[in-house]
Amino acid sequence: MSFLPLWIAALSFADSLGQEPRPHGRPVLPAPEEIAQLPPDGGPRFNRLVFEKSPYLLQHAANPVDWWPWGEAALERAREEDKPVFLSIGYATCHWCHVMEHESFEDPDVARVLNAGFLCIKVDREERPDVDHLYMSATQALTGSGGWPLTLILFPDGRPFFAATYIPKEPRFGRPGLVDLLGRVRELWTSDREALAEDARRITDHLAKSSPGVPSELPGRAAIDAASRQLAQSYDAAHGGFGNAPKFPVPHQLLLLFQQAERTGDARAREMALETLAAMRRGGIWDHVGYGFHRYSTDREWRVPHFEKMLYDQALLAMAYVAGWQVSGRAELRRTAEQVFEYALRELREPGGAFASAEDADSEGEEGRFYTWTVEELRAALGEERSKLAERVFGVTREGHLEGRSVLHLAAAPEELAKTLGLEPADLAQRVEAIRARLFAAREARPRPLKDDKVLADWNGLMIAALARAAAAFDSPEHARAAERAADFVLAQLADERGRLKKRWREGQAGLPGTLEDHAFLAWGLLELYQATFDPRWLERARQLADAMVAHFHDAERGGFYLTADDGAKLILRAKDSYDGALPSGNSAAALALLQLARITGEPRYDDLAAGTLKAFAGDLAAAPASRTFMLLGLDFALGPSFEVVIAGDPSALDTQALLRTARASYRPAPVLLLRPPGDAPITTLAPWTEPHAPLDGLAAAYVCRDFACRAPTTSPEDLAASLSPRLPAK
């Protein structure tokens, strides 16, 4: 739908194709003591963004555009000067954000037009997901699509009347360039502002009506079955994944398929998820030299990626590979998860133990330059003989995939490659690892892509959850320690004594109000960390975060949670969301965390809050279940069968450890796992229902409750395994 005349129709991402990538990075900024002496507007060399901490905002601090950060001060200035607001939203590792900056925001002529006629605001979508969600929703309502950079024009009260993504500086493909468009908007602002106000009213009304309405009954398992069918219909049997190019990894879709397979015995759901994991690992979306996953694939084959690396992708994909290993026992899947963590710990972990947000796609002015290879570069790094093997294994050709440069990918499955080359699989693996090590050393000499080093509470919550799941599944203390270090840092630097969170930490400073995602993701991560380590402090802090989330974000009238707190800065709409895209929605994570917390603590109020959240979005789950697969993980938990498992025994004793290994051995939907040590243990205060649980006849015992009914305790790992079947009763 569109509320605007055709001449001002939003420009799509496709308009940017064919543009030359540009060098980018942070401008050279003064030392902190010099910045402190600058005038409030940044002075002649800088704008107001020079005082910010966001790497994305700092990239624009030396633009001739008079940028303001988002806030009431900027909107008030727009009202005083009677100017429309030019709003630009992006993030530090966004390739086309850099293109638009170089084309337009670094251009003095464009800057003069913007500064004269508009109040210009820059937003880092990762710091302000609430602002991004609101105006992305407006853009999608107007254009049917979205993406970054996001470009809107607003009334000074925040109501949008124009929305687009990338806009070229000059006219292209019959559509206006940025300067022409700005001139037309100023003309209407002066001559026909009422028409713009009517557009803004209709957009705002549409956004309000699209917010979840009256809650319905708790959805049934039919929603989960429907999501599985939708995924099966879009499954790419030739290459794995879902849909056509561009192809995005959505790990929670795979987790849902694993849960469906475990619940129903659906072999196809299992194989779709496993083959997708294998295909991504073979493809160029996987960094075969330094490990970790790129953002998405531009083609159907997972071969040529968009090269940025996001922390949340590493966390969620690692979780999916851990689950895939638990389901199948395939060593490659476990190895991939471990290598994702190796990458994250090597490149993204900050000195305090928390994780930075992302690495850029670009270096040396080109997207993918750091990651791609020519035949000559391979031969210089490897020598003639090894290079010939590398070219065959990794599909390197003189033509390449990007102007003569090749993206490394496995040309076939490792077993097929070994057979074709006349080698034993183990021999080939050894040779390829030697090649990888040499290429890694050679690549380290290249200029690295920009790292967005801000620490976000929500994304760190996801990585804590992923590391904790790996620690439990792999019996891996090092992954548990990494998760604990990150949790300690985030809680020390971003949480207050009431459980309220700040959004971001960078260069020694925490800032910006925490959103729903921060509280929900971190609470969930800490619950997973408790179940990996059984340290009760993680359970205590998770409960504190959940209580703060309920107190300040919960919609008591209709259920579910708002994205922004009740005491935060007001936007034109206090939104709620259930869409699970690359990142799960805050409501989806909140529902799952509350369900886990209810079963761990035994407090029904958390169950009630989770059920209210699922009911609030029942219409969304019915209308588009495959777009809400993380929320369906919570629904699966609520519908059951669910399990509460208490292992009572000395944590260091072999019999206790044997029961714990059994409880963690397989991928089981909807379990919670607690450890009840002997004596007056802290867990009995946090989960009083565990107080009477004790060993039997001097042996560690497992107490299993399934769907609110408890079974007789057992000391046998075999009996414990038999009691944990997640299968649904036969119809």
Side-chain angles (χ1 to χ4, degrees), residues 183-264:
R184 181 62 174 147
V185 170
R186 281 300 309 179
E187 180 184 332
L188 283 176
W189 185 259
T190 302
S191 64
D192 198 2
R193 193 176 304 186
E194 187 54 40
L196 299 180
E198 178 61 17
D199 285 333
R201 183 192 65 76
R202 294 173 65 185
I203 297 167
T204 305
D205 287 350
H206 174 80
L207 294 176
K209 290 174 182 176
S210 65
S211 189
V214 178
S216 305
E217 289 302 310
L218 186 69
R221 191 160 292 279
I224 300 171
D225 295 339
S228 297
R229 287 195 301 272
Q230 288 180 2
L231 291 172
Q233 289 165 3
S234 64
Y235 179 64
D236 183 349
H239 304 289
F242 305 94
N244 295 309
K247 192 174 279 185
F248 291 82
V250 185
H252 36 89
Q253 292 178 343
L254 307 181
L255 293 175
L256 186 72
L257 290 173
F258 284 139
Q259 295 208 174
Q260 184 74 338
E262 294 300 298
R263 292 291 198 198
T264 67

Side-chain angles (χ1 to χ4, degrees), residues 371-384:
Y371 299 103
T372 54
W373 299 82
T374 64
V375 170
E376 288 73 21
E377 287 170 340
L378 275 189
R379 292 180 180 176
L382 300 173
E384 192 78 19

